[in-house]
Amino acid sequence: MLQTLVHYTLHLLAPGLIAYIFFRKEWKKAWLIMLATMLVDLDHLLATPIFDPGRCSINFHPLHTYWAIAGYVVLLFFRKTRIIAVGLLFHMFTDYIDCQWN
Ligand SMILES: [Zn+2]
């Protein structure tokens, strides 16, 4: 229960905070973009079972591998994709924290 709460707080509210600190001028847009990065969780649909609370996403799902993360880091270097990259990396960080509970 606590784990789920922490997970969704981090997934939803923390991006808002990050957006507000780093992209103050357009923080609402930045927040929305970061929320949209949750779509990478669509790769969970490729897995069986689709949802398994005890499973670590990192390096299990295609968009959650170190290779994918390396790609997100590259996106950091371009102004246009920077917000997306921050969102994606933060998402991976959140999922990674999740792995530490088990
Ligand atoms: Zn994820």
Side-chain angles (χ1 to χ4, degrees), residues 29-101:
K29 190 179 127 197
W31 189 7
L32 278 179
I33 292 172
M34 283 199 243
L35 287 183
T37 59
M38 278 212 267
L39 289 176
V40 291
D41 275 349
L42 284 178
D43 64 2
H44 293 23
L45 298 177
L46 300 172
T48 22
I50 286 171
F51 185 72
D52 176 359
R55 181 177 59 203
C56 177
S57 304
I58 302 297
N59 269 333
F60 184 87
H61 302 293
L63 295 173
H64 289 65
T65 56
Y66 288 143
W67 288 108
I69 294 170
Y72 305 151
V73 171
V74 171
L75 292 179
L76 269 182
F77 293 98
F78 303 97
R79 252 179 66 83
K80 278 192 178 153
T81 50
R82 188 163 298 149
I83 299 176
I84 301 172
V86 171
L88 285 168
L89 288 170
F90 188 74
H91 179 112
M92 296 308 141
F93 176 69
T94 312
D95 284 2
Y96 180 75
I97 291 176
D98 245 21
C99 302
Q100 312 308 311
W101 294 77

